């Protein structure tokens, strides 16, 4: 497994692999890897012959005052985890390799990027779609894997791939959770021990709503209310948003009659945590 730090070096490697007839798989990450990231590697294996993992803390997807400077990093540990998991190449560029000083071009998916997380992070998804587009063009990947944990991101990228006619397959892989149900996230490292215990209130609220749905409650306003009330009983948690939307279009719905996404973001100390589940009507 080799690490590439420049675009031309990675391109040389990829053209050799493509010439040998290999199907290229890409797993984009910001590093500080955990089992959630590594499950993407496991999932993509069946769909390609050569796996590239990118590690790049993308400055364009962080807003002013967000945690860009504090975002956790540990390249040596990431590298050994990826090696153990059978990754073929790491792309680990410096920021100015991706965004030279005079950089001007951005990709934006309208509407889908303005709701849910987009409300409190206005330029976030434009930063995501821009880096992901650049990674698609640099790696010429045939398949790419994203996690359901960042469901809105995955839906936006699927839409961009369709709208811009990228010739590649987008996999959305299940959320990997800690034993108590907390979705794994590099940002969980910001949590103090007491906050860590409280952090499960988000997934617990989703599970509570799922049970109410299974007992016959179809109205999303009622389900949302129950989730908000449950979270508000936990000290020092601030709600950014809790919503129930159509799982395909991300549009608000009054009743659960099609697959529905229960999604939310909360603040706990320095960490903004997101999570979601999907309810599939029988
Ligand atoms: P990040 O490094 O946070 O940008 O995440 C890189 C990729 O890993 C994204 O596709 C995420 O959705 C995915 N991911 C992060 N956490 C998890 C998790 N707990 N389970 C599954 N995928 C995850």
């Amino acid at each position: 497994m080799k690490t590439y730090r420049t675009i031309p070096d990675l391109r040389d490697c990829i053209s050799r692999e493509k010439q040998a007839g290999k199907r290229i798989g890409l797993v984009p990450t910001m590093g500080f890897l955990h089992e959630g990231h590594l499950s993407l590697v496991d999932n993509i294996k069946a769909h390609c012959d050569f796996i590239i993992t990118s590690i790049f803390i993308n400055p364009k997807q962080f807003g002013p005052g967000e945690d860009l400077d504090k975002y956790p990093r540990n390249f040596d540990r990431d590298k050994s985890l990826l090696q153990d998991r059978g990754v073929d190449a790491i792309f680990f560029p410096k920021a100015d390799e991706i965004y030279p000083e005079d950089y001007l071009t951005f990709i934006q998916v309208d509407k889908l990027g303005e709701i849910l997380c987009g409300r409190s992070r206005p330029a976030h998804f434009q930063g995501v779609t821009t880096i992901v587009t650049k990674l698609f063009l640099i790696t010429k990947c045939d398949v790419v894997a994203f996690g359901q944990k960042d469901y809105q991101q995955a839906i936006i990228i699927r839409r961009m791939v369709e709208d811009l006619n990228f010739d590649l397959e987008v996999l959305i892989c299940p959320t990997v959770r800690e034993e108590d149900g907390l979705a794994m996230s590099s940002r969980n490292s910001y949590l103090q021990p007491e906050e860590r215990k409280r952090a499960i209130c988000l997934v617990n609220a989703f599970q509570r709503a799922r049970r109410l749905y299974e007992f016959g409650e179809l109205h999303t306003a009622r389900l949302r209310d129950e989730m908000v009330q449950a979270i508000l009983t936990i000290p020092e948690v601030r709600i950014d948003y809790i919503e129930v939307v159509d799982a395909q279009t991300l549009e608000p719905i009054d009743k659960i009659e099609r697959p529905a996404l229960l999604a939310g973001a909360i603040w706990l100390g320095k960490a903004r945590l997101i999570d979601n589940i999907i309810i599939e009507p029988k």
Side-chain angles (χ1 to χ4, degrees):
M1 186 190 68
K2 244 182 114 169
T3 299
Y4 296 90
R5 304 227 56 185
T6 71
I7 295 167
D9 286 350
L10 181 68
R11 283 202 155 135
D12 283 349
C13 153
I14 289 161
S15 38
R16 280 193 305 273
E17 299 301 333
K18 285 231 160 197
Q19 258 164 29
K22 296 213 179 139
R23 208 175 132 80
I24 309 292
L26 172 68
V27 178
T29 81
M30 298 206 296
F32 209 69
L33 303 180
H34 49 66
E35 274 303 311
H37 297 112
L38 300 171
S39 75
L40 303 182
V41 172
D42 296 343
N43 273 292
I44 208 169
K45 246 175 219 167
H47 300 260
C48 64
D49 319 294
F50 189 88
I51 306 176
I52 303 168
T53 299
S54 59
I55 298 180
F56 181 63
I57 301 176
N58 175 31
K60 306 283 188 210
Q61 71 187 67
F62 289 77
E66 289 187 354
D67 55 343
L68 173 61
D69 298 334
K70 289 178 231 100
Y71 197 85
R73 46 201 99 197
N74 187 343
F75 178 73
D76 292 338
R77 182 169 170 276
D78 290 349
K79 188 174 162 187
S80 99
L81 290 170
L82 293 173
Q83 175 118 44
D84 290 349
R85 225 53 176 233
V87 164
D88 297 291
I90 301 178
F91 183 43
F92 180 48
K94 294 210 171 85
D96 60 359
E97 181 73 11
I98 299 295
Y99 302 115
E101 217 177 295
D102 55 351
Y103 189 84
L104 292 175
T105 305
F106 293 87
I107 303 286
Q108 184 171 310
V109 177
D110 280 350
K111 287 190 184 155
L112 291 176
E114 290 154 23
I115 52 178
L116 305 174
C117 285
R119 277 210 192 92
S120 48
R121 305 188 74 193
H124 172 68
F125 289 111
Q126 182 187 285
V128 169
T129 42
T130 300
I131 184 62
V132 167
T133 297
K134 284 174 71 83
L135 291 170
F136 288 170
L137 295 169
I138 293 166
T139 62
K140 299 197 178 80
C141 58
D142 302 287
V143 54
V144 63
F146 293 97
Q148 188 195 317
K149 204 214 115 210
D150 301 86
Y151 187 81
Q152 184 180 10
Q153 163 174 288
I155 289 293
I156 288 173
I157 288 163
R158 270 219 167 131
R159 185 52 182 264
M160 176 184 84
V161 163
E162 198 181 312
D163 286 355
L164 295 183
N165 310 102
F166 279 108
D167 187 12
L168 56 87
E169 186 188 350
V170 178
L171 308 177
I172 303 181
C173 308
T175 302
V176 177
R177 299 181 178 280
E178 304 284 357
E179 228 162 78
D180 63 354
L182 179 66
M184 290 192 181
S185 164
S186 308
R187 289 191 167 99
N188 291 348
S189 63
Y190 298 155
L191 296 169
Q192 300 299 315
E194 200 54 37
E195 294 166 347
R196 168 64 188 82
K197 287 187 209 147
R198 292 172 178 163
I200 52 165
C201 68
L202 185 54
V203 67
N204 284 350
F206 295 147
Q207 298 304 355
R208 181 183 163 84
R210 188 201 287 281
R211 280 195 299 278
L212 287 171
Y213 165 78
E214 284 164 356
F215 279 113
E217 182 57 77
L218 301 184
H219 291 92
T220 56
R222 178 76 209 292
L223 295 172
R224 184 181 173 278
D225 227 45
E226 288 288 336
M227 291 190 280
V228 168
Q229 291 311 322
I231 293 170
L232 290 178
T233 62
I234 309 298
E236 283 164 43
V237 177
R238 283 179 297 132
I239 295 177
D240 179 344
Y241 72 86
I242 296 290
E243 292 199 34
V244 183
V245 296
D246 182 290
Q248 259 169 21
T249 62
L250 305 186
E251 278 168 9
I253 46 175
D254 294 332
K255 275 172 95 177
I256 300 194
E257 288 159 334
R258 298 183 300 278
L261 177 78
L262 278 52
I266 56 170
W267 279 97
L268 252 170
K270 292 193 181 70
R272 179 179 178 278
L273 305 177
I274 62 170
D275 198 356
N276 66 78
I277 65 163
I278 292 174
I279 291 182
E280 310 250 10
K282 300 214 174 68

